[in-house]
Amino acid sequence: MTDQPRGDARPQPLYGQYATPEEQRARIAQPDATYALDTGQAPELIESARPAPSAAASVAPATAAARRRVDMIVTLVLLGYGLVNVVVTAVQLSDFPAFAQEFMRVAGIDGTFTNYAQGQLWSTIGAVAYAAVYLAVVLVVVLLFRRGRRTWWVPLTGAVLAFVLLTVCLTCALIGDPAIMGYFLRAS
């Protein structure tokens, strides 16, 4: 539908048809090529109409690609180390009584670990939480990398979170043993 009077057969004006060339250039922020050609200048030399470069545009594409490559390599190395750590931790915690006995020997606690059921439950929870954090880290890394964001910090943050979760679970498992609890009560 048009807003023309009934007797007017002229077509509607197109976008920018009535704007002067100066108004059109101001709207689209292009340099005045006509003025530059009339004065013998190259259009690139007119700085007043050129937008200021952004910080992202000032980084050379090769430098950005190199940074992205380094970020990817560092992230993959950290993820590989994390995977090895998850597997080793799961193997160690699969025999929790042996793990707890070794902990007691290193800590200098006399006695034998006897809280098998609670120890195995908490060590299993800790190992599953450790693996779940690792999988979440991998997912976040993939999502951020696809968006072109830096990812090296994600495995480090995940490692801290996984360590805290595993420490809480193992503390719950070990503190329930009478020999370990007696040692800490005597020490305080």
Side-chain angles (χ1 to χ4, degrees), residues 20 25 34 45 69 93:
T20 65
R25 278 191 295 279
T34 306
L45 297 179
R69 194 174 308 115
L93 293 180

Side-chain angles (χ1 to χ4, degrees), residues 66-155:
R67 285 183 183 168
R68 185 173 164 105
R69 194 174 308 115
V70 168
D71 179 56
M72 181 177 64
I73 290 170
V74 169
T75 302
L76 290 176
V77 167
L78 289 172
L79 287 175
Y81 179 74
L83 180 62
V84 168
N85 202 355
V86 167
V87 170
V88 167
T89 300
V91 168
Q92 283 182 338
L93 293 180
S94 65
D95 185 17
F96 187 75
F99 173 82
Q101 197 60 44
E102 181 64 18
F103 167 78
M104 291 171 70
R105 185 189 66 76
V106 170
I109 300 172
D110 293 330
T112 305
F113 184 77
T114 57
N115 193 14
Y116 299 121
Q118 185 180 6
Q120 197 61 47
L121 172 70
W122 279 105
S123 67
T124 303
I125 292 170
V128 168
Y130 206 62
V133 168
Y134 179 79
L135 292 175
V137 163
V138 170
L139 178 68
V140 170
V141 163
V142 168
L143 291 174
L144 288 178
F145 194 74
R146 284 185 178 174
R147 292 180 181 166
R149 300 273 180 97
R150 291 192 178 164
T151 56
W152 62 268
W153 60 272
V154 178

